[in-house]
């Protein structure tokens, strides 16, 4: 029995039509004769969705009792027993009621697939596990119900149900998604145009990436090497030279002409020694690429054109952007160059753009990669020239050319020796001199074809030839080495200058520094290791690259930094001359690590200083407000204790009431002060548990005047995950503030509703309101908006309320009340234990004037 197939309808937001599309697919399957049944579909009271259920077999749900309430979930056993060919299962990310067969609905779906049943399901983009942080940054809401990305990726078919934000908001306004009492709140919060546009783009990009994965998989399975131009991907070849920024900007302009184009900048380093690029210039180019939305890649390869083409075809690129060669005209005798080779070998599926720049034909500078060593290929060519050159020259002189004379023959052989020295160094040149002297003696010095010399003058000539050849070879080799050494010193000075500049600039990114080490020395991974003492184990302070090392002993190269720190590199063994620059990098890494730790300590000290500043400001700001109730209490007590006046019972009761009122005000002020101090010092630790709002909100209204608040708490609200004490204090502060600014003949409305997996508490007053420019300022400590009397408080109530709400992962914002006034919107996370049973206005458990 094979595994069933999974089809998913993916949407950007609730209401786009995922369930409707799934049910339409069910009807199409039935029309084609497929056995299709509904495992679980929730129509949420939407008439058009409910109508689509007609004509579809619905498998009975399983009833579960949780905390005294009855809930229904998909009956997995019933679906397996019914065994339809296709099961329709809504809301893939749904969390099942405790006591269910599985904790998540996607796990139920996995069982159906394993049993060979095809499943059609739905999910919103915000419920993907990997996008939780992104969605929270867009909407301000953390999604509690999520599904692992891998579950959705494994789907055999993913279909995006798309709708423009304007059309979705119109659908919402027409009442096709939520009931009328939830429309205004939804349109002004989750369904704002900006939120919907961002979520839509997120869904489109996610689906596009999945399509690209399928395309790459298909190409790999069918061994397709040619480029399929499904999406424009522009590869920019960088050398680390000054023209790189021009190439990157040119590629960005090309990418901007087509929607969805990608930029991939690649730098290819040889595998021998320091890279040829300037580290400073390469870092600038990398930053520019990332700022323009591209990605930077570092590839190691000795054959640069082949490596570049291999990379481009590996990422399915459509275009390659290269700069015109910086070679001078005479340097083309050594080869056509990277640009021409890539253009010739690219084939018809890759477009190669050669971009002109200011550095064209100005020379490539000294080769800084190879130092005083020669590459393997040059050494081989040197020996071929040194040994084979004299033999080929002898063959040419004996069979082709006329007799040129011994002196000219010696000059020709001397030129071969010089060429061997230039290409392969001293040893091939010495071999060339030895072979050349023997061939001169055998073929061109009488008697011919014998290793004897008849004329003593010829002996002198051959000896002089050998001496001159060895001398010239030594000088040429020494000059080449000095040139390479000068180039290496120049490369080292650029690196050291860059490190010194980073110190002066105060750069603290340790990962960026280690990444530069990896690029400079063409390594696979770099790790900074440290330990507290010689007997303690090594710990990794930072690392870049795959498979970072855990111990210096396992590294290909390790560079000690002090007694208890080391820089460990893997990839290849470095020559001794590279270790001097590596030591500078290691020392800089240690400095950056120390700087990061000092910065962390400074931040902690700054936090403590801020706490002390807040305490000082608290005492200074509340001196008058603390004295006022104390003075009233003191006067009333003194009056009661006075023997000079005989107070009546009514006067005594009035004085005692004044004492109680002053004590309450004092208690309220001190409570807010202590709460703000806790918030500023980060010592608020909420004890989160699932509770009902009707357990908390009425308790928070004890301190308000009778008849000043209308309470509207629907019975169908889900439980919320909060700290009961913090929520009660926050609601009390918000309501007291609303009552304070409301007209005497107007009541404050406290209403609650659900929106997705959130619960909103709205405190609505009809006071003077707050302009948009001051809405954020009213939540700052010691802020009292407008002409509030001095005795009205110190301006901490809303600041404390927001701090407590945010400590519980909620939000507190201010909105205008339609018709005038201010509405405080407190958003809390709904608990997964009890989902809403229906529309929030269906049953009212607490509704009426609070007295």
């Amino acid at each position: 029995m094979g595994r069933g197939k999974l089809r998913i309808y993916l949407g950007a937001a609730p209401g786009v039509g995922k369930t409707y599309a799934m049910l339409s697919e069910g009807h199409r399957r039935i029309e084609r004769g497929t056995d299709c049944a509904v495992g679980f579909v929730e129509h949420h009271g939407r008439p058009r969705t409910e109508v689509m259920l007609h004509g579809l077999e619905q498998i009975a749900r399983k009833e579960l009792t949780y905390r005294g309430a009855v809930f229904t979930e998909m009956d997995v056993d019933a679906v397996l027993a019914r065994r339809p060919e296709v099961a329709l299962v809504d809301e893939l990310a749904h969390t099942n009621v405790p006591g269910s067969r599985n904790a998540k609905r996607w796990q139920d779906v996995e069982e159906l697939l394993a049993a060979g049943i095809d499943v059609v399901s739905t999910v919103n983009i915000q419920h993907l596990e990997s996008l939780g942080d992104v969605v929270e940054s867009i909407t301000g809401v953390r999604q509690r119900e999520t599904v692992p990305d891998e579950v959705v990726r494994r789907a055999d078919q993913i279909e995006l149900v798309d709708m423009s934000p304007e059309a979705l908001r119109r659908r919402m306004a027409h009442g096709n998604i939520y009931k009328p009492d939830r429309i205004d709140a939804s349109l002004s919060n989750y369904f704002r145009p900006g939120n919907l546009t961002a979520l839509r783009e997120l869904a489109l990009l996610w689906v596009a990436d999945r399509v690209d994965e399928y395309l790459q998989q298909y190409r790999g399975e069918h061994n397709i090497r040619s480029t399929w131009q499904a999406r424009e991907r522009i590869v920019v070849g960088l050398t680390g030279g000054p023209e790189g920024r021009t190439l990157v900007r040119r590629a960005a302009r090309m990418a901007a002409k087509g929607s969805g184009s990608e930029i991939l900048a690649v730098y290819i380093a040889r595998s021998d020694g320091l890279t040829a690029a300037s580290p400073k210039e390469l870092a600038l180019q990398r930053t520019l690429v990332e700022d323009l939305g591209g990605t930077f890649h570092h590839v190691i390869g000795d054959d640069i054109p082949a490596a570049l083409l291999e990379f481009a075809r590996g990422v399915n690129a459509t275009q390659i952007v290269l700069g015109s060669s910086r070679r001078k005209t005479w340097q083309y005798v050594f080869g056509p160059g990277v640009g021409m080779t890539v253009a010739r070998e690219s084939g018809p599926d890759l477009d190669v753009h050669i971009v002109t720049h200011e550095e064209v034909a100005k020379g490539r500078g000294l080769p800084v990669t190879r130092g005083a060593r020669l590459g393997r290929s040059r050494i081989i060519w040197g020996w071929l020239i040194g040994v084979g050159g004299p033999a080929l020259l002898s063959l040419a002189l004996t069979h082709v050319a006329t007799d040129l004379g011994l002196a000219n023959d010696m000059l020709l052989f001397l030129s071969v020796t010089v060429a061997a020295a230039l290409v392969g160094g001293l040893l091939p040149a010495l071999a060339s001199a030895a072979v050349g002297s023997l061939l001169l003696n055998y073929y061109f010095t009488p008697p011919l074809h014998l290793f004897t010399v008849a004329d003593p003058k010829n002996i002198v000539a051959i000896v002089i030839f050998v001496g001159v050849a060895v001398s010239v070879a030594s000088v040429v080799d020494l000059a080449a080495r000095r040139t390479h050494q000068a180039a290496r010193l120049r490369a080292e000075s650029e690196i050291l200058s860059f490190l010194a500049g980073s110190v002066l600039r105060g750069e603290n990114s340790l990962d960026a520094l280690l990444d530069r080490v990896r690029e400079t020395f063409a390594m696979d991974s770099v790790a900074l290791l440290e330990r507290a003492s010689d007997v303690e184990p090594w710990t990794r302070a930072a690392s870049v690259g795959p498979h970072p090392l855990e111990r210096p002993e396992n590294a290909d190269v390790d560079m000690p930094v002090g007694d208890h720190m080391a820089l460990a590199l893997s990839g290849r063994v470095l020559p001794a001359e590279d270790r001097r620059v590596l030591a500078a990098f290691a020392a800089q890494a240690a400095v950056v690590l120390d700087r990061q730790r000092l910065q962390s300590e400074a931040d902690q000290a700054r936090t403590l200083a801020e706490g002390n500043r807040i305490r000082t400001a608290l005492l200074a700001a509340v001196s008058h407000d603390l004295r006022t109730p104390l003075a009233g209490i003191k006067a009333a007590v003194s009056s009661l204790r006075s023997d000079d006046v005989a107070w009546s019972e009514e006067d005594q009761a009035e004085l005692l009431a004044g004492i109680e009122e002053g004590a309450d005000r004092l208690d309220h002020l001190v409570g807010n002060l202590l709460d703000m101090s806790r918030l500023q010092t980060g010592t608020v630790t909420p004890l989160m548990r699932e509770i009902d709002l009707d357990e908390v909100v009425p308790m928070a209204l004890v301190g308000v005047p009778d008849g000043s608040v209308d309470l509207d708490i629907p019975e169908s609200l889900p439980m919320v995950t909060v700290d009961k004490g913090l929520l009660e204090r926050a609601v009390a502060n918000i309501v007291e503030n609303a009552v304070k600014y409301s007209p005497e003949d107007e009541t404050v409305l406290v209403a609650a509703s659900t929106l997705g997996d959130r619960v909103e508490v709205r405190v609505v007053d009809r006071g003077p309101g707050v302009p948009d420019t001051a809405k954020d300022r009213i939540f700052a400590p010691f802020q009292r908006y407008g002409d509030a009397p001095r005795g009205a408080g110190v301006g901490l109530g809303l600041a404390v309320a927001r701090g407590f709400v945010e400590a519980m992962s909620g939000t507190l914002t201010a909105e205008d009340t339609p018709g005038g006034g201010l509405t405080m919107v407190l958003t809390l996370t709904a608990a997964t234990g009890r989902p809403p049973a229906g529309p929030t206005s269906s049953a009212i458990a607490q509704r009426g004037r609070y007295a």
Side-chain angles (χ1 to χ4, degrees), residues 626-640:
L626 285 174
R627 284 179 184 154
T628 300
L630 284 174
I633 294 172
K634 172 67 175 175
V637 171
S638 298
S639 299
L640 288 173

Side-chain angles (χ1 to χ4, degrees), residues 572-590:
R572 64 188 182 86
V573 178
L574 284 182
E577 55 265 31
D578 284 352
R579 295 183 66 87
R580 179 172 56 182
V581 178
L582 182 61
F585 271 113
Q588 175 68 1

Side-chain angles (χ1 to χ4, degrees), residues 62-101:
K62 184 177 183 180
E63 292 188 352
L64 297 168
T65 302
Y66 180 67
R67 293 189 175 183
V70 177
F71 304 96
T72 59
E73 296 287 0
M74 182 174 68
D75 193 337
V76 180
D77 291 325
V79 178
L80 292 174
R82 167 64 177 77
R83 197 172 181 78
E85 294 181 53
V86 178
L88 307 181
V89 182
D90 203 9
E91 298 178 354
L92 187 64
H94 171 74
T95 300
N96 294 329
V97 173
S100 301
R101 182 189 186 103

Side-chain angles (χ1 to χ4, degrees), residues 268 270 302-311 337-339 341-342 345:
I268 301 175
R270 296 185 184 274
D302 290 324
D303 189 342
I304 293 178
L308 180 59
L309 289 171
E310 182 69 21
F311 174 83
V338 174
T341 304
V342 170
E345 302 294 336

Side-chain angles (χ1 to χ4, degrees), residues 354-365:
I354 305 296
V355 179
T356 59
H357 49 83
E358 296 180 351
E359 304 297 323
V360 173
K362 291 186 177 180
R364 294 184 298 173

